[in-house]
Amino acid sequence: MKTNTLITVLKKAVAIIIILITTTNVMKAGNTHTMKKILFVVTSHDKKGNTGEHTGFYLSEVSHPWEILVNAGYEIDFVSPKGGKAPVDGFNLSDPVNRKFWENKLYRSKIENTLKPSEVNADTYVAIHYAGGHGAMWDFPENKELAAIAARIYENKGIVSAVCHGPAGLLNIKLSNGKYLVDGKKVNAFTNQEETAVKLDKVVPFLLELKLIERGAKFEKSGLWQSHVVTDQRLVTGQNPQSAKAVGEAVLQLLNSNNLFARITRYEVKPQQVAEFQKALGNYVSSALANQNNIMAEAYYEQDKPSILWVIERWNSKKHLDAFEKNEQAQTVTALSKKALAKTTKEYLLKDLEPLNKEQWRKASKKEDKQIVIMLFVDAKAGTQQNFKDTYHTAMPQFRSEPGVVTYQLSEIEGDGTHFVTYEKFRGQDAFQYHLNFPPIQPVIDYLNTSIEGQPFQNGLHTLIEFAPMTRE
C-alpha cells in the first residue's frame, strides 16, 4: 500500500473514531439531561413487633408501580432507612409482575443494595414512592432524613405517593410553611378494619388511619381489600396491596401533566355570525374530546356579551394539539375566523399550578344543575405573585371540597409570572354564593383587594355559559 493511500485510510479511521466518540458523548449528555428518575422507599424492618413473624416491604407494592413507571421510561432508585438489602414480604412469584421484577437483574441488585438516606440527592428525582409492608410502621415515621427528602421533592414540584402501610412515611413530613404534608389533603392507607381483619391491630405500634387523621388528613376508604386511590394535588395514596398498580397509574398521570399544554382562546365574533361560529366551535370541542390525547375541551359564551366566545382546552402535549389542528373541525374554525371575527383572536397559554387529572377535568355537573362558570383574570403587582400562589395553595383543597364546586383551578398565564387566571365551575348560583361566603376565601379576597394591578378585581371577572359539550351526570 502506498504511503499516501495509507495516510488517507488512517485519516478516515481517525475521523470515524472522532465521530463515534462525539456521538456517544452527545447521547450520554442527552440521557443525563433527560433522565427521569423516581425514588422508591422500602422498609429495613423485618419483624412484626414481638410476634416473631417475618415482615418487610410488600413485593407487589413495589413491582406493580415499578412496571408502570419503568415502561413509561423512568429509572427507579431504592432507598431504605438503613440501606443495604431490604427484607421482602408478600413473596408471591406466581404474580407475573412480581416475577418480572424479581428476575430483572438490574432492579434485583438495586433492591438488595438500597441506598442510605444520606446517599440520596433529592433534587435528582421527580417523584418519591413509599411502598408498604408492615415493617414500614416501625421505621418510616421517625426517619427525619427520609421526611426531608420527600419534602424537598414535593416542594420542587415533584410527586409523593404511598400505598398500604407506606403512608406511615408521610406522617412526619413537614413542608417549609411548617404544616404537615397531609394536612387538609385527601388521603387513604391501610384501614383500621383491614388491620383488624389481619389480626395485627394490637401488634402494630399505632393504627395508621387514626394517625393520619390526627395529622389533619381527610381520610377516605373503601371496603376490605378494594382498590382505592386518592390523588390530591401532588400527593397520591393507595389503600392496600390491591391498589398498588392504580397508584403507579395515578403517579404517571401526574407526571405526564408536566408536559400538559393548556390554552384559553378568546373569539370576538360579528353578531350576525355568532350562531355559525358556535356550531363550528361545538364541532371542534366534540372532536377534541374524542381524541385520546385530549384532557379537556369546553366552549362558552359570555353571559353579558354573547358575541364573545371562549374555548378552554388541555392536551397531553403541544405536539398532540398541533396534530389535532390539522383535522377538519379545527380547519373549519380557522377558515371561519377569517370572515367571522370582529377582532383578532387572543390566546392565553397556561401553566396549571395545582394540576388536575383527566377524570377530574371531565367531571360533569348534575342533570338538574344550573351550572355557572367563573373565570377571573388577575394581574398581580410585581413582587407579590408568590404571595398570591401561596394563598391559593392553602385555599385550593378547601375550595375543591365544597359541595357545590365541580372544578376549581388556578393557572399562571405564560409571560412574566404576574398574570393568572382562575377557572371555577359551580353547580349553580347558590353554590357560587356559598363560595363567596366560605371563610377560606377571605385571604384570597384580601389579596385581590390590595395587591393586584387595576382595581377593582371584579373587572377581570367573566361569567360564562357553556354551549359545548353540555354533558351532565
Side-chain angles (χ1 to χ4, degrees):
M1 183 180 291
K2 294 182 178 180
T3 302
N4 289 342
T5 304
L6 178 61
I7 291 172
T8 301
V9 170
L10 288 173
K11 283 182 178 179
K12 288 182 178 179
V14 170
I16 291 170
I17 291 170
I18 290 172
I19 290 170
L20 288 173
I21 291 172
T22 303
T23 302
T24 301
N25 287 338
V26 168
M27 289 174 67
K28 285 181 178 178
N31 286 341
T32 300
H33 179 69
T34 60
M35 183 63 70
K36 303 183 294 183
K37 297 181 71 176
I38 297 171
L39 185 65
F40 274 34
V41 187
V42 292
T43 182
S44 298
H45 191 84
D46 64 357
K47 291 291 187 295
K48 296 178 182 176
N50 297 320
T51 65
E53 295 180 16
H54 176 81
T55 188
F57 74 88
Y58 209 80
L59 182 56
S60 65
E61 295 172 24
V62 165
S63 67
H64 284 258
W66 165 83
E67 183 185 47
I68 297 292
L69 298 168
V70 165
N71 286 347
Y74 289 88
E75 179 186 353
I76 293 172
D77 290 337
F78 290 87
V79 64
S80 64
K82 293 181 179 179
K85 187 173 182 177
V88 60
D89 199 358
F91 192 73
N92 174 17
L93 295 189
S94 65
D95 177 335
V97 181
N98 283 351
R99 178 176 289 277
K100 180 181 177 181
F101 173 82
W102 201 250
E103 293 181 351
N104 184 296
K105 291 182 180 179
L106 171 63
Y107 283 99
R108 175 78 173 274
S109 176
K110 285 191 175 191
I111 203 70
E112 293 184 346
N113 296 277
T114 64
L115 299 168
K116 295 178 181 178
S118 60
E119 297 173 320
V120 171
N121 177 2
D123 293 336
T124 63
Y125 299 98
V126 296
I128 182 170
H129 171 68
Y130 286 85
H134 272 92
M137 296 289 283
W138 278 270
D139 65 355
F140 276 8
E142 302 305 323
N143 193 294
K144 294 181 180 180
E145 288 180 289
L146 288 173
I149 290 168
R152 177 76 176 182
I153 291 172
Y154 187 81
E155 295 194 322
N156 281 345
K157 306 301 180 185
I159 296 158
V160 176
S161 67
V163 63
C164 197
H165 290 92
L170 309 180
L171 289 172
N172 291 316
I173 298 174
K174 276 193 174 182
L175 303 178
S176 56
N177 61 9
K179 292 187 175 182
Y180 289 108
L181 170 66
V182 299
D183 188 8
K185 295 186 179 71
K186 296 176 182 177
V187 170
N188 73 355
F190 206 65
T191 66
N192 293 348
Q193 291 86 351
E194 285 169 325
E195 205 69 84
T196 300
V198 297
K199 300 180 180 180
L200 290 172
D201 54 311
K202 306 299 183 185
V203 175
V204 290
F206 55 87
L207 291 176
L208 186 50
E209 175 182 337
L210 293 180
K211 192 64 74 173
L212 286 164
I213 292 170
E214 285 179 19
R215 291 288 189 261
K218 298 177 180 178
F219 197 88
E220 295 188 353
K221 58 184 174 181
S222 294
L224 296 176
W225 325 126
Q226 299 299 305
S227 176
H228 188 150
V229 173
V230 176
T231 299
D232 196 334
Q233 298 176 52
R234 285 173 285 107
L235 177 64
V236 179
T237 48
Q239 182 169 319
N240 44 38
Q242 290 78 6
S243 309
K245 179 182 178 181
V247 166
E249 291 170 338
V251 169
L252 181 59
Q253 190 167 40
L254 284 179
L255 289 167
N256 287 341
S257 74
N258 292 333
N259 298 318
L260 177 146
F261 186 80
R263 180 176 72 177
I264 296 176
T265 308
R266 179 186 184 275
Y267 302 92
E268 187 165 342
V269 186
K270 295 174 183 176
Q272 64 271 26
Q273 292 185 290
V274 168
E276 183 182 8
F277 208 85
Q278 275 197 17
K279 182 179 179 180
L281 289 182
N283 291 336
Y284 175 96
V285 165
S286 296
S287 181
L289 290 171
N291 189 297
Q292 64 178 354
N293 292 305
N294 176 263
I295 296 170
M296 62 88 72
E298 297 171 353
Y300 296 88
Y301 64 85
E302 291 208 12
Q303 180 175 270
D304 299 327
K305 298 178 182 178
S307 62
I308 295 180
L309 310 180
W310 299 83
V311 172
I312 304 170
E313 55 193 320
R314 284 166 174 80
W315 294 81
N316 283 329
S317 71
K318 175 70 162 56
K319 71 177 182 180
H320 291 126
L321 173 58
D322 290 343
F324 175 76
E325 288 188 325
K326 296 175 183 177
N327 80 359
E328 179 183 351
Q329 290 77 16
Q331 290 295 313
T332 298
V333 172
T334 300
L336 189 56
S337 295
K338 294 177 181 178
K339 64 178 183 178
L341 297 186
K343 290 186 179 180
T344 304
T345 300
K346 187 166 185 177
E347 286 188 354
Y348 302 88
L349 304 184
L350 311 176
K351 176 186 176 183
D352 292 339
L353 297 180
E354 303 289 347
L356 296 169
N357 60 36
K358 185 173 183 176
E359 181 183 5
Q360 291 168 321
W361 272 117
R362 294 199 178 190
K363 182 181 177 183
S365 296
K366 298 184 183 299
K367 187 176 181 180
E368 65 272 17
D369 292 342
K370 296 181 179 179
Q371 178 179 287
I372 180 172
V373 173
I374 302 295
M375 196 161 59
L376 175 64
F377 288 88
V378 176
D379 291 340
K381 290 181 180 177
T384 72
Q385 59 265 40
Q386 190 58 48
N387 294 340
F388 182 65
K389 289 191 279 189
D390 290 345
T391 299
Y392 255 104
H393 179 75
T394 300
M396 191 77 73
Q398 299 172 84
F399 291 166
R400 289 175 173 171
S401 296
E402 290 177 53
V405 169
V406 181
T407 315
Y408 206 108
Q409 182 59 286
L410 171 67
S411 304
E412 182 179 318
I413 298 172
E414 189 175 279
D416 63 7
T418 63
H419 306 296
F420 303 88
V421 60
T422 69
Y423 172 87
E424 310 165 24
K425 184 185 288 188
F426 301 91
R427 294 182 57 188
Q429 187 64 38
D430 289 346
F432 180 50
Q433 289 302 318
Y434 176 89
H435 175 69
L436 294 178
N437 295 314
F438 191 44
I441 202 174
Q442 193 55 50
V444 175
I445 298 296
D446 291 343
Y447 177 91
L448 294 174
N449 281 327
T450 60
S451 302
I452 71 168
E453 303 285 359
Q455 295 290 350
F457 71 83
Q458 288 86 349
N459 288 339
L461 199 66
H462 301 263
T463 303
L464 306 180
I465 308 299
E466 183 182 37
F467 64 85
M470 289 297 289
T471 53
R472 296 291 184 268
E473 286 184 0

Coordinates of all heavy atoms in Angstrom, one line a residue, residues 264 296 298 300 312 314 350 356 361 363 371 373-376 392 396 405-411 421-426 464 466:
I264 N -56.3 28.9 26.6 CA -57.6 29.6 26.5 C -57.6 30.4 25.3 O -56.7 31.2 25.1 CB -57.9 30.4 27.8 CG1 -58.0 29.6 29.0 CG2 -59.2 31.2 27.6 CD1 -58.2 30.4 30.3
M296 N -59.2 17.9 28.3 CA -60.5 18.6 28.4 C -60.6 19.6 27.3 O -59.6 20.1 26.8 CB -60.6 19.3 29.8 CG -59.6 20.4 30.1 SD -60.1 22.0 29.5 CE -61.4 22.5 30.7
E298 N -63.8 22.7 26.3 CA -65.1 23.2 26.6 C -65.2 24.6 25.8 O -64.2 25.2 25.6 CB -65.3 23.5 28.1 CG -65.2 22.2 28.9 CD -65.2 22.4 30.4 OE1 -65.1 23.6 30.8 OE2 -65.3 21.5 31.2
Y300 N -67.6 28.3 25.6 CA -68.5 29.1 26.3 C -68.8 30.4 25.6 O -68.0 30.8 24.7 CB -67.9 29.5 27.7 CG -67.7 28.4 28.6 CD1 -66.5 27.6 28.6 CD2 -68.7 28.0 29.5 CE1 -66.3 26.6 29.5 CE2 -68.5 26.9 30.4 CZ -67.3 26.2 30.4 OH -67.1 25.2 31.2
I312 N -61.7 26.6 26.1 CA -60.7 26.2 27.1 C -60.3 24.8 26.9 O -61.2 23.9 26.8 CB -61.3 26.4 28.5 CG1 -61.8 27.8 28.7 CG2 -60.3 26.0 29.6 CD1 -62.7 28.0 30.0
R314 N -57.1 21.5 27.2 CA -55.8 20.9 27.7 C -55.5 19.6 26.9 O -56.4 18.8 26.7 CB -55.9 20.7 29.2 CG -55.8 22.0 30.0 CD -56.2 21.8 31.4 NE -55.9 23.1 32.2 CZ -56.7 24.1 32.2 NH1 -57.8 24.1 31.5 NH2 -56.4 25.2 32.9
L350 N -51.2 28.5 29.3 CA -51.3 28.4 30.8 C -50.4 27.4 31.3 O -50.0 26.4 30.7 CB -52.8 28.0 31.1 CG -53.9 28.8 30.5 CD1 -55.2 28.2 31.0 CD2 -53.8 30.3 30.9
L356 N -54.9 19.0 37.8 CA -55.9 18.0 37.9 C -55.7 16.9 36.8 O -55.1 17.2 35.8 CB -57.3 18.7 37.6 CG -57.7 19.8 38.6 CD1 -59.0 20.5 38.1 CD2 -58.1 19.1 40.0
W361 N -60.9 16.8 35.4 CA -61.3 17.8 34.4 C -62.6 17.5 33.8 O -63.4 18.4 33.5 CB -60.2 18.0 33.4 CG -59.1 19.0 33.7 CD1 -57.8 18.7 33.9 CD2 -59.3 20.4 34.0 NE1 -57.1 19.9 34.3 CE2 -58.0 20.9 34.3 CE3 -60.4 21.2 34.0 CZ2 -57.8 22.2 34.6 CZ3 -60.2 22.6 34.3 CH2 -58.9 23.1 34.6
K363 N -65.1 15.9 35.0 CA -66.2 15.8 36.0 C -67.3 16.7 35.6 O -67.1 17.9 35.3 CB -65.7 16.1 37.4 CG -66.8 16.0 38.5 CD -66.2 16.3 39.8 CE -67.3 16.3 40.9 NZ -66.7 16.7 42.2
Q371 N -75.7 25.2 36.0 CA -74.2 25.4 36.1 C -73.8 26.8 35.8 O -74.4 27.5 34.9 CB -73.5 24.5 35.1 CG -72.0 24.6 35.1 CD -71.4 23.7 34.1 OE1 -71.3 22.5 34.4 NE2 -70.9 24.2 32.9
V373 N -70.1 29.1 35.4 CA -68.6 29.1 35.3 C -68.1 30.5 35.4 O -68.6 31.4 34.8 CB -68.2 28.4 34.0 CG1 -66.7 28.5 33.9 CG2 -68.6 27.0 34.0
I374 N -67.1 30.7 36.3 CA -66.5 31.9 36.6 C -65.0 31.9 36.2 O -64.3 30.9 36.5 CB -66.6 32.3 38.1 CG1 -68.0 32.4 38.5 CG2 -65.9 33.7 38.3 CD1 -68.9 33.5 37.9
M375 N -64.6 32.8 35.4 CA -63.2 32.9 35.0 C -62.7 34.3 35.5 O -63.3 35.3 35.1 CB -63.0 32.8 33.5 CG -61.6 32.5 33.1 SD -61.6 31.7 31.4 CE -62.4 33.0 30.4
L376 N -61.6 34.3 36.3 CA -61.1 35.6 36.8 C -59.7 35.8 36.4 O -58.8 35.0 36.7 CB -61.2 35.6 38.4 CG -60.6 36.8 39.1 CD1 -61.3 38.1 38.7 CD2 -60.6 36.6 40.6
Y392 N -53.5 30.8 47.4 CA -54.3 29.9 46.7 C -54.0 28.4 47.0 O -54.8 27.6 47.1 CB -54.3 30.1 45.2 CG -55.6 30.8 44.7 CD1 -55.5 32.1 44.4 CD2 -56.8 30.1 44.6 CE1 -56.7 32.8 43.9 CE2 -57.9 30.7 44.1 CZ -57.9 32.0 43.8 OH -59.0 32.7 43.4
M396 N -56.9 26.1 48.0 CA -57.4 25.3 46.9 C -58.1 24.0 47.4 O -59.2 23.6 46.9 CB -56.3 25.0 45.9 CG -56.8 24.4 44.6 SD -57.6 25.5 43.5 CE -56.1 26.4 43.0
V405 N -68.9 22.8 44.3 CA -67.9 23.0 43.4 C -67.7 21.8 42.5 O -67.6 20.7 43.0 CB -66.5 23.3 44.1 CG1 -65.4 23.3 43.1 CG2 -66.6 24.7 44.7
V406 N -67.7 22.0 41.2 CA -67.5 20.9 40.2 C -66.0 20.8 39.9 O -65.3 19.8 39.9 CB -68.3 21.1 38.9 CG1 -68.0 19.9 38.0 CG2 -69.8 21.2 39.3
T407 N -65.4 22.0 39.5 CA -64.0 22.1 39.2 C -63.5 23.4 39.7 O -64.2 24.4 39.6 CB -63.8 22.0 37.6 OG1 -64.5 20.9 37.1 CG2 -62.3 21.8 37.3
Y408 N -62.2 23.4 40.1 CA -61.6 24.7 40.6 C -60.1 24.6 40.2 O -59.4 23.7 40.6 CB -61.8 24.9 42.1 CG -61.7 26.3 42.5 CD1 -62.9 27.0 42.9 CD2 -60.6 27.1 42.5 CE1 -62.9 28.3 43.3 CE2 -60.6 28.4 42.8 CZ -61.7 29.0 43.3 OH -61.7 30.4 43.6
Q409 N -59.6 25.6 39.5 CA -58.2 25.6 39.1 C -57.6 27.0 39.0 O -58.3 28.0 38.7 CB -58.1 24.9 37.7 CG -56.6 24.8 37.2 CD -55.8 24.0 38.0 OE1 -55.4 24.4 39.1 NE2 -55.5 22.8 37.6
L410 N -56.4 27.1 39.4 CA -55.6 28.3 39.3 C -54.5 28.1 38.3 O -53.7 27.1 38.4 CB -55.0 28.8 40.6 CG -54.0 29.9 40.5 CD1 -54.7 31.2 40.1 CD2 -53.3 30.2 41.9
S411 N -54.3 28.9 37.3 CA -53.3 28.8 36.3 C -52.5 30.1 36.1 O -53.0 31.2 36.3 CB -53.9 28.4 34.9 OG -54.6 27.2 35.0
V421 N -55.1 33.2 36.0 CA -56.5 33.1 35.7 C -57.0 31.9 36.5 O -56.4 30.9 36.7 CB -56.8 32.9 34.2 CG1 -56.1 31.6 33.7 CG2 -58.3 32.8 33.9
T422 N -58.2 32.2 37.2 CA -58.8 31.1 37.9 C -60.0 30.6 37.0 O -60.6 31.4 36.3 CB -59.4 31.6 39.3 OG1 -60.5 32.5 39.1 CG2 -58.3 32.2 40.1
Y423 N -60.3 29.3 37.2 CA -61.4 28.7 36.4 C -62.2 28.0 37.5 O -61.7 27.1 38.2 CB -60.8 27.7 35.4 CG -61.9 26.8 34.8 CD1 -62.5 27.3 33.6 CD2 -62.2 25.6 35.3 CE1 -63.5 26.5 33.0 CE2 -63.1 24.8 34.7 CZ -63.8 25.2 33.5 OH -64.7 24.5 32.9
E424 N -63.5 28.4 37.6 CA -64.3 28.0 38.8 C -65.7 27.5 38.2 O -66.4 28.3 37.7 CB -64.5 29.1 39.8 CG -63.2 29.8 40.2 CD -63.4 31.1 40.9 OE1 -64.5 31.3 41.5 OE2 -62.4 32.0 40.8
K425 N -66.0 26.3 38.4 CA -67.2 25.7 37.9 C -68.1 25.3 39.1 O -67.7 24.5 39.9 CB -67.0 24.5 36.9 CG -68.3 24.0 36.3 CD -68.0 22.7 35.5 CE -67.3 23.0 34.2 NZ -67.2 21.8 33.3
F426 N -69.3 25.9 39.1 CA -70.2 25.6 40.2 C -71.5 25.0 39.7 O -71.9 25.2 38.6 CB -70.5 26.9 41.0 CG -69.3 27.6 41.5 CD1 -68.7 28.6 40.8 CD2 -68.9 27.3 42.8 CE1 -67.6 29.3 41.3 CE2 -67.8 28.0 43.3 CZ -67.1 29.0 42.6
L464 N -69.5 32.8 32.5 CA -69.5 32.0 31.2 C -70.7 31.1 31.2 O -71.0 30.4 32.2 CB -68.2 31.3 31.0 CG -66.9 32.1 31.0 CD1 -65.7 31.2 30.8 CD2 -66.9 33.3 30.0
E466 N -71.9 27.7 29.2 CA -71.4 26.6 28.3 C -72.4 26.3 27.2 O -73.6 26.2 27.4 CB -71.2 25.4 29.2 CG -70.6 24.2 28.5 CD -70.5 23.0 29.4 OE1 -71.4 22.8 30.2 OE2 -69.5 22.3 29.3

